[in-house]
Amino acid sequence: MFCVPSTEIGAIMNITKGGLVLFSANSNSSCMELSKRIAERLGVEMGKVQVYQEPNRETRVQIQESVRGKDVFIIQTVSKDVNTTIMELLIMVYACKTSCAKSIIGVIPYFPYSKQCKMRKRGSIVSKLLASMMCKAGLTHLITMDLHQKEIQGFFNIPVDNLRASPFLLQYIQEEIPDYRNAVIVAKSPASAKRAQSFAERLRLGIAVIHGEAQDAESDMVDGRHSPPTAKNVAAIHPSLEIPMLIPKEKPPITVVGDVGGRIAIIVDDIIDDVDSFLAAAETLKERGAYKIFVMATHGLLSSDAPRLIEQISVWHSSVVVVTNTIPHEIQKLQCPKIKTVDISMILSEAIRRIHNGESMSYLFRNIGLDD
């Protein structure tokens, strides 16, 4: 059984009496680091709750203090067992709902299944399903960061605050890369160009875009709706109907639009999971003359052999991978010292404080540069 430990009572103020309760839905102790940081910044104690797995792998949640009439904030970071993570959150939200909580706000820095937000062939939009489940369980508000697609906000019928990690990553560039003025911001695909442009404009740097890379499974090209109809099918519709045949697409050779020779290349993206595409981009940039490469992303999923590949493959030897702590990755950092972490607990704690006090969130979007 796992029990969320409470902070020692002392100088720390317990504002559960003031109507705010802060819970961590994680049953994995390695996932609680972010929750503890947020609680320390707010000066509150973590709410008392038990979250554990039964021998048959069922998730059980036991709220150990009253939440009646209070604002409940549930922090959930995504572990490797993502489905267990989701069930922990849903059961805790429902437990607070049935305990008459005034409001239930989910603090989910990385929204799981966000990459499955578009229809692929005969698949489904899983992130829409997950949004419906959260709302049905009783969630009244969601705080998240850097959604894979902004359109995911439309899957919810509750308010969604989609915060940005870019100010913290920009600060890292300015403070930890002494010669960043000789850098160029790189989009590893045209789809990432808008994010790269935002970074480049704020840092007053140039931009480069890698074009012509191998198409991945996330691309719209795999969607069957883009396939041209065959002549046989056209005739079957109507003998006299003539539909123009689409010209087959041909991928151009890999090119880099922009000058990276003799410069630092900073690749920016929202998620780094499988590092193969980032590795291919880094190799291309090395060939074009970049002498140092940084990869910066908000969510460091770093699945499978990602840490080993980052550490062992020679193209990374002069490179660093920078991610935020929206996802716990202490084990990956131990495996690979090249993985650096940027703390984003400050903006999450400020968002919690403002929502609880009924204050406007516009300050976070206006003054911290989150309006991209």
Side-chain angles (χ1 to χ4, degrees), residues 163-317:
L163 304 178
R164 297 286 187 273
S166 55
F168 303 93
L169 297 176
L170 291 168
Q171 184 180 35
Y172 181 94
I173 293 173
Q174 293 173 321
E175 295 180 355
E176 302 297 331
I177 306 178
D179 49 348
Y180 80 92
R181 290 295 181 186
N182 188 38
V184 59
I185 306 299
V186 179
K188 69 180 181 67
S189 68
S192 305
K194 185 176 180 181
R195 180 182 300 271
Q197 180 183 0
S198 176
F199 273 70
E201 290 175 349
R202 296 186 185 281
L203 293 170
R204 311 295 193 270
L205 299 176
I207 183 174
V209 180
I210 301 176
H211 178 58
E213 76 280 4
Q215 202 69 45
D216 58 27
E218 287 287 321
S219 171
D220 288 334
M221 291 293 295
V222 301
D223 195 320
R225 292 173 293 180
H226 291 270
S227 303
T230 63
K232 182 178 179 180
N233 290 338
V234 173
I237 297 173
H238 196 280
S240 62
L241 182 61
E242 296 183 1
I243 299 177
M245 300 297 293
L246 294 178
I247 299 174
K249 293 183 179 180
E250 183 176 349
K251 299 173 185 175
I254 295 178
T255 58
V256 178
V257 181
D259 182 21
V260 298
R263 295 189 177 188
I264 300 172
I266 304 176
I267 305 173
V268 296
D269 211 336
D270 62 327
I271 298 173
I272 177 170
D273 189 1
D274 185 349
V275 299
D276 289 343
S277 61
F278 290 91
L279 177 60
E283 290 176 341
T284 300
L285 295 171
K286 283 283 188 181
E287 293 172 359
R288 299 303 194 278
Y291 70 91
K292 186 181 292 186
I293 299 172
F294 287 81
V295 176
M296 312 199 76
T298 303
H299 309 297
L301 300 183
L302 300 172
S303 301
S304 188
D305 292 335
R308 181 184 60 81
L309 292 173
I310 294 172
E311 180 65 23
Q312 294 181 1
I313 296 179
S314 59
V315 73
W316 294 105
H317 284 180

Side-chain angles (χ1 to χ4, degrees), residues 32 50 55 59 120 136 165 197 213 276 296 303 368 371:
M32 290 188 58
Q50 287 184 337
T59 299
R120 304 296 182 190
K136 187 66 176 179
Q197 180 183 0
E213 76 280 4
D276 289 343
M296 312 199 76
S303 301
I368 307 184
D371 54 348

Side-chain angles (χ1 to χ4, degrees), residues 10 26 46 94 102 104 128 143 155 189 218 225 235 313 320 338 367 370:
N26 297 119
M46 293 298 300
Y94 189 66
K102 177 183 176 183
I104 307 169
K128 166 62 176 174
I143 301 174
F155 295 161
S189 68
E218 287 287 321
R225 292 173 293 180
I313 296 179
V320 175
K338 293 182 181 296
N367 291 6
L370 306 179

